[in-house]
């Protein structure tokens, strides 16, 4: 469903609300994903859906109803349901009203026709490239190739009408040998950027180099985290910048704003418009999303807000709202870490003894307030000796404060887009001294 | 809903076959959910959601294709069926091996979750008022910075048709609710959740909310969160450990349930949620746990969050053993994966919604109760820790090395529960840990703990699983791992 059709649908929904204050969010997704293992496709799926979310405010009371039935009768019933729920809800005099925003141009490169129309055969071709590399190296590959088109329109009775059309695509590959694995990933808005041979080769090279891994003792190590590892680690810091988390006392920022929490080399922003992300320029309340510096040369001073928390704390609305109302509060969407000056090989060359980590797995907070998290290394962990990658090591568990790591961070000059199901960000590799590993495992 | 979809189903299956599929099935779903959140006195969410659509699986030349759509017009159904076959053909064209075989079994049946009180019969005002009252009581001390109370109500009506002649209509009700208090003071923040660590989620209606007893426990939960701020740090060392039932549930989920998924064992999840330290050669030979440990799949369990009549590839629910008297004896399986080890499916296939491809999920996985009253677990513990309610969970991608943290702990000294301790964590390696289990509490403290947010698959699906458990005792466990390095 294109922008014009979504906007017409949103207007049709608002018309059913008559003069009552209402908001319609239309979300249209068409996604395909091809998954493979043992060098063959085993799951191959596609899904298309359009949903309409209606928020009605009746005398300070809010109700929300959602449907994916786009017929007039169903849409009218959905509006009626939202209003009926609002009528029964407790009054909330602090609830903010609707946005009035008619802007929000999508950043360049957000949408690619080739990605929007990519066929299962095109995804299968990239899979075949990856598997071919694995077979040549006597490995087996597992991973996915995905393409997606997303369109979002938000309209409300206060005059907001904003739309975003974006595409995304991704691949990841885990190359598997008898006693070792390797990993590579690629995220883009353009399917032509997905080079299966290149990604398959990176993963295979890691798996081959990691053969016959050895144990190394737990303890404090100098680590070099490649972007997939560093991105996942950093994602667990994002919530600390939420105004809600801050106000409720579980953010490290409760120790004070305008303070240095990280090394002067650390500058991190939330920036939807970064060329590697090209994200949505407004939030899910329809407000424009601002570029917000989270760390500037190690100093943290800003909070992310939505309409509710901007009003409650008398702060500017940075446009980081989720669909309102919600219990979660504002949320970072596009974390970008400013790169350093050294290349990844230079960071390795400058390390007498350390560990090169490709990827982490199952990171979870241990102590939210102290930013301590635990997790495992995965899919390519290597011993660095005398400035060179020496050999593979068995995986290890870490327990590490993220802020502690950022106090000693030195970044590479090569940012990459990385992500998971809960985040999308741009980060370089990072070198960190004194990273704390607590135990090992059997592979 | 059944009659509505008969014609569309015939059209979908005919189209898939006309396009070359040797087998096809289609699953229509009408999903309805309601979510209410109360946070710090405000109704933060009041949302009623409906979503209808269908997913078509097509089998062509040994390869599966899946396409989902919400377009219920004849043209929409034709397009989705054609897309499923096109996807299967694309996979078959580059396949170096075949993963599937067309099912042949046929069921014509219905199933409905037993519901004592339909949530729809409970006025919305009553639903909201219950949460407002419970949330208010969480604020039992000035240090409580956030109170949160919530209800999830889910109803799924689905009907499955296959070219082998199956027609299975199911109406599922699942319900959950919980409360959480966050206390913060100075440089510390502590939280408490009830029931368990995520609330009480089970199959059924409003009676599940009533069973959660949120109001009766809210003040205690708030007080405990506040007390944790001043509690001493949990001691570290190799200590005896008693886990509350919801934490045993989490332990089963992470270190048994996921490990025993046969698709994971076969490498189908290798790039994302990982593989497993298990393999088929270990069936009947691996001592997974002590003699006390028997873990069964039971997708017929009353109130089990994952209880259904049939799974999402049309296989009838059964009860089957995974670990019997400590020995590994089975896996969670689909038709295709079971065939590779010469077994029949035990109906563990689920899709998160009509949009998603069915895949192996944990379903109801139960640790059978022991024969001791809960209080007797403390007898004979000279120095140990009793932990409740998960706060942190992490396990390696072979499901061996784990580290879990709980919200609250109590030191055990000479068989008695002593002082409260904060930040309790423990770590271990899966088989060693389960072999250290020397006592399990009896059925009086056994609960089917639903997990409504289990992530697996790509695109990731959020599944609803359950683990039945009572509190259990483990000897000589590494405690304090998250803080002592």
């Amino acid at each position: 469903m294109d922008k014009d059709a979504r906007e017409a649908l949103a207007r049709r929904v608002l018309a059913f609300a008559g003069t009552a204050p209402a908001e319609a969010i239309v979300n249209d997704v068409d996604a395909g994903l091809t998954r493979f293992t043992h060098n063959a496709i085993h799951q191959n799926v596609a899904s298309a859906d359009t949903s309409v979310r209606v928020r009605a405010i009746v005398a300070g009371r809010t109700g929300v109803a959602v449907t994916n039935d786009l017929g007039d009768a169903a849409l009218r019933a959905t509006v009626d349901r939202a209003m009926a729920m609002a009528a029964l809800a407790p009054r909330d005099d602090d609830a903010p009203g609707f946005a009035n925003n008619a802007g929000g141009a999508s950043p360049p490169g957000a949408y690619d026709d080739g990605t929007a129309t990519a066929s299962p055969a095109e995804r299968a071709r990239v899979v075949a490239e990856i598997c071919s590399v694995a077979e040549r190296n006597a490995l087996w590959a597992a991973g996915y190739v995905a393409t997606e088109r997303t369109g979002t329109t938000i309209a409300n009775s206060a005059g907001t009408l904003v739309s975003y059309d974006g595409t995304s695509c991704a691949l990841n590959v885990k190359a598997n040998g008898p006693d070792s694995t390797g990993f590579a990933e690629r995220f883009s808005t353009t399917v032509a950027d997905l080079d299966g041979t290149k990604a398959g080769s990176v993963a295979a090279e890691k798996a081959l180099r990691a053969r016959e891994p050895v144990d190394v003792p737990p303890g404090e190590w100098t680590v070099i985290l490649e972007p997939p590892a560093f991105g996942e680690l950093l994602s667990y810091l994002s919530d600390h910048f939420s105004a809600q988390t801050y106000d409720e006392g579980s953010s490290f920022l409760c120790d004070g704003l305008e303070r240095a929490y990280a090394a002067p080399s650390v500058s991190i922003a939330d920036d939807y418009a970064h060329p590697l992300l090209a994200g949505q320029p407004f939030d899910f309340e329809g407000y424009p999303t601002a570029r917000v510096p989270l760390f500037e040369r190690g100093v943290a001073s800003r909070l992310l807000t939505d309409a509710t928390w901007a009003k409650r704390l008398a702060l500017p609305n940075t446009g980081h709202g989720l669909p309102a109302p919600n219990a979660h509060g504002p949320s970072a969407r596009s974390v970008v870490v400013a790169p350093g000056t050294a290349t990844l090989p230079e960071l390795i060359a400058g390390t007498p003894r350390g560990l090169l980590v490709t990827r982490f797995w199952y990171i979870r907070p241990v102590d939210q307030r102290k930013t301590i998290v635990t997790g495992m290394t995965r899919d390519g962990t290597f011993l660095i000796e005398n400035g060179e990658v020496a050999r593979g090591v068995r995986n290890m568990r870490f327990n590490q404060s993220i802020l502690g790591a950022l106090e000693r961070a030195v970044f590479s000059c090569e940012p990459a887009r990385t992500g998971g199901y809960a985040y999308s960000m741009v980060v370089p590799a990072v070198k960190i001294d004194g990273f704390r590993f607590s135990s090992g495992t059997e592979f | 809903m059944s009659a509505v979809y008969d014609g569309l189903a015939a059209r979908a299956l005919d189209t898939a076959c006309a396009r070359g599929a040797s087998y096809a099935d289609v699953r229509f779903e009408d999903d309805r959910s309601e979510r209410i959140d109360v946070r710090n006195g405000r109704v933060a969410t009041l949302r009623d959601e409906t979503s209808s659509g269908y997913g078509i699986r097509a089998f062509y030349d040994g390869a599966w294709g899946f396409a989902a759509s919400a377009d219920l017009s004849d043209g929409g159904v034709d397009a989705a069926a054609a897309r499923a076959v096109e996807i299967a053909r694309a996979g078959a064209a580059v396949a170096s091996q075949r993963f599937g075989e067309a099912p042949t079994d046929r069921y014509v049946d219905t199933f409905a979750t037993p519901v004592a009180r339909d949530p729809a019969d409970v006025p919305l005002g009553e639903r909201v008022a219950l949460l407002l009252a419970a949330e208010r009581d969480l604020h039992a001390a000035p240090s409580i910075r956030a109170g949160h109370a919530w209800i999830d109500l889910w109803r799924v009506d689905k009907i499955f048709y296959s070219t082998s002649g199956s027609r299975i209509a199911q109406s599922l009700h699942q319900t959950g609710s919980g409360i959480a208090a966050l206390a913060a003071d100075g440089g510390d923040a502590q939280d408490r959740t009830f029931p368990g660590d995520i609330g009480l989620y089970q199959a059924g209606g409003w009676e599940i909310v009533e069973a959660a007893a949120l109001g009766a426990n809210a003040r205690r939960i708030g007080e405990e969160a506040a007390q944790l701020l001043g509690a001493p740090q949990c001691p570290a060392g190799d200590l005896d450990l008693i886990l509350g039932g919801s934490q045993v549930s989490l332990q089963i989920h992470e270190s048994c349930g996921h490990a025993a998924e046969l698709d994971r064992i076969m490498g189908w999840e290798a790039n994302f949620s990982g593989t497993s330290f298990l393999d088929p050669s270990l069936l009947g030979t691996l001592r997974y746990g002590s003699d006390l440990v028997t873990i069964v799949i039971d997708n017929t369990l009353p109130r089990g969050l994952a209880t259904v009549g049939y799974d999402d590839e049309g296989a009838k629910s059964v009860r089957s053993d995974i670990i019997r008297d400590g020995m590994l004896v089975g896996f969670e399986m689909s038709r295709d994966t079971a065939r590779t080890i010469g077994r029949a499916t035990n109906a563990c296939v689920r899709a998160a919604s009509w949009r998603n491809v069915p895949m192996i999920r944990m379903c109801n996985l139960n640790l059978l109760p022991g024969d001791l009253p809960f209080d007797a677990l403390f007898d004979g513990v000279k120095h140990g820790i009793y932990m409740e309610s998960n706060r942190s969970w992490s396990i390696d991608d072979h499901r061996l090395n784990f580290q879990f943290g709980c919200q609250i702990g109590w030191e055990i000294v000479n068989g008695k529960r002593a002082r409260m301790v904060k930040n309790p964590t423990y770590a271990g390696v899966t088989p060693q840990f389960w072999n250290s289990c020397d006592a399990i509490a009896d059925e009086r403290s056994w609960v089917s703990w639903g997990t409504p947010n289990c992530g697996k698959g790509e695109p990731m699906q959020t599944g609803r699983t359950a683990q039945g458990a009572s509190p259990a005792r483990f000897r000589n466990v590494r405690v304090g791992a998250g803080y002592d390095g």
Side-chain angles (χ1 to χ4, degrees), chain B residues 319-349:
Chain B
R319 178 182 158 127
S320 66
D321 292 353
I322 298 296
I323 299 167
R324 186 188 306 135
D325 302 329
M327 299 299 292
L328 177 71
V329 294
F331 298 130
E332 297 134 298
M333 299 179 289
S334 62
R335 285 200 183 94
D336 285 346
T337 57
R339 190 179 303 112
T340 66
I341 61 168
R343 294 192 174 194
T345 178
N346 47 14
C348 286
V349 174

Side-chain angles (χ1 to χ4, degrees), chain A residues 41 43 142 150 193 197 241 247 302 345 364 367 398 409 422:
Chain A
I41 292 169
Q43 285 172 1
T150 305
D193 290 344
T197 301
F241 291 90
D247 187 64
R302 296 280 301 276
R364 288 291 182 275
D367 191 316
F398 65 89

Side-chain angles (χ1 to χ4, degrees), chain A residues 128-141:
Chain A
E129 291 172 356
I130 293 169
C131 295
S132 174
V133 174
E135 285 170 354
R136 279 202 304 276
N137 289 282
L139 302 166
W140 61 272

Side-chain angles (χ1 to χ4, degrees), chain B residues 365-378:
Chain B
L365 195 62
N366 303 323
L367 173 66
L368 299 189
D371 55 8
L372 290 175
F374 169 60
D375 288 344
L377 297 184
F378 292 78

Side-chain angles (χ1 to χ4, degrees), chain A residues 53-76:
Chain A
R53 183 183 195 273
V54 178
R55 174 165 54 131
I57 301 179
V58 179
R61 306 162 193 268
T62 302
V64 172
V66 186
T67 186
N68 71 339
D69 185 335
L70 308 185
D72 276 350
L75 293 173
R76 183 186 295 276

Side-chain angles (χ1 to χ4, degrees), chain A residues 30-51 53 62-69 78 81 84-86 88-90 92 94-96 118-121 123-125 127-128 135 140 142-144 172-174 176 183 218-219 244 246-250 254-255 308-309 312 324-328 359 361-370 372 374-379 395-399 421 436-443, chain B residues 32 34-40 42-53 63-71 83 86-88 90-92 94-99 124-125 127-128 132 145-148 182-190 253-254 258 263-275 354-359 391-403 422-423 425 427 429 432 456-460 478 481-485:
Chain A
D30 193 339
L33 185 143
T34 301
R35 203 168 186 207
F36 54 96
T37 188
H38 294 282
N39 300 338
I41 292 169
H42 68 300
Q43 285 172 1
N44 207 348
V45 303
S47 174
D49 192 24
T50 305
S51 65
R53 183 183 195 273
T62 302
V64 172
V66 186
T67 186
N68 71 339
D69 185 335
T78 302
R81 268 191 1 250
M85 295 192 84
L88 292 167
D92 182 358
D94 290 336
S119 68
R123 291 192 295 274
R125 179 186 54 74
V127 171
E135 285 170 354
W140 61 272
Y144 74 83
N172 84 13
V173 50
K174 173 174 177 166
N176 300 265
F183 177 78
Q244 176 171 306
Y246 171 79
D247 187 64
E248 292 180 349
S250 60
C254 295
D255 287 344
T308 296
W309 284 96
R312 192 168 290 177
N326 65 76
H328 186 271
R359 188 186 189 195
W361 164 245
Y362 225 133
I363 298 178
R364 288 291 182 275
V366 172
D367 191 316
Q368 159 82 5
R369 186 66 169 75
K370 297 181 176 66
I372 298 171
T374 188
M376 296 291 303
T377 65
R378 178 184 189 184
D379 298 336
N395 289 298
M396 292 204 290
R397 171 171 299 285
F398 65 89
N399 280 278
Y421 287 95
R436 198 165 66 97
F437 290 96
S438 54
S439 62
T441 191
E442 297 178 10
F443 59 93
Chain B
R32 182 151 193 173
E34 179 182 292
R35 171 80 183 191
I36 309 173
D37 287 283
V38 170
R39 195 172 182 99
N40 283 351
R42 277 182 64 233
V43 177
T45 309
L46 188 52
R47 185 182 67 235
D48 180 0
E49 184 161 0
T50 62
S51 180
S52 299
W64 287 103
F66 175 83
S69 173
D71 187 342
R83 194 178 194 189
E86 181 195 10
I87 288 169
V94 299
S96 59
Q97 57 177 299
R98 299 291 187 257
F99 287 102
L124 180 62
R127 305 202 286 269
V128 172
L132 284 167
R145 302 286 290 273
H148 185 196
L182 170 68
D185 190 7
D188 197 8
Q190 296 287 335
H253 182 101
E254 299 292 349
H258 282 312
D263 59 344
R264 181 189 299 262
I265 291 165
M266 293 172 61
W268 291 19
E269 288 289 322
N271 67 308
F272 175 49
S273 51
T275 57
W354 58 266
R355 296 179 190 83
N356 299 109
V357 68
M359 61 189 299
R391 182 169 88 166
S392 175
W393 65 105
S394 176
I395 188 166
D396 72 36
D397 63 311
H398 291 197
R399 301 280 154 179
L400 277 169
N401 175 315
F402 65 81
Q403 179 182 306
K422 67 180 175 183
N423 305 326
T425 60
V429 175
Q432 289 92 318
K456 184 183 174 187
E458 286 180 317
M460 193 168 84
R478 186 179 174 206
Y483 286 83
D484 71 348

Side-chain angles (χ1 to χ4, degrees), chain B residues 274-422:
Chain B
T275 57
S276 174
F277 71 99
L278 300 178
D279 69 64
S281 72
L282 297 174
L283 287 170
T285 64
L286 175 69
R287 175 154 285 285
Y288 207 109
S290 68
D291 289 346
L292 299 175
V293 177
T294 291
I295 293 179
V296 304
I297 298 168
D298 186 358
N299 295 331
T300 67
L301 179 76
R303 286 199 172 182
L305 186 64
T307 294
V308 295
Y310 294 82
D311 76 359
D312 285 332
E313 58 175 7
K316 191 173 177 62
S317 287
V318 295
R319 178 182 158 127
S320 66
D321 292 353
I322 298 296
I323 299 167
R324 186 188 306 135
D325 302 329
M327 299 299 292
L328 177 71
V329 294
F331 298 130
E332 297 134 298
M333 299 179 289
S334 62
R335 285 200 183 94
D336 285 346
T337 57
R339 190 179 303 112
T340 66
I341 61 168
R343 294 192 174 194
T345 178
N346 47 14
C348 286
V349 174
R350 300 283 194 282
S353 80
W354 58 266
R355 296 179 190 83
N356 299 109
V357 68
M359 61 189 299
I360 292 177
R361 300 306 302 236
M362 200 173 301
C363 308
N364 298 323
L365 195 62
N366 303 323
L367 173 66
L368 299 189
D371 55 8
L372 290 175
F374 169 60
D375 288 344
L377 297 184
F378 292 78
D379 295 344
V381 176
K382 192 172 178 184
H383 187 206
I385 307 292
Y386 169 57
M387 300 186 191
E388 271 188 6
S389 301
N390 187 268
R391 182 169 88 166
S392 175
W393 65 105
S394 176
I395 188 166
D396 72 36
D397 63 311
H398 291 197
R399 301 280 154 179
L400 277 169
N401 175 315
F402 65 81
Q403 179 182 306
F404 299 138
C406 287
Q407 295 171 4
I408 191 167
W410 286 269
E411 204 163 10
I412 306 167
V413 180
N414 295 325
K416 303 291 183 195
R417 193 194 298 206
R419 61 178 182 161
M420 178 188 291
V421 293
K422 67 180 175 183

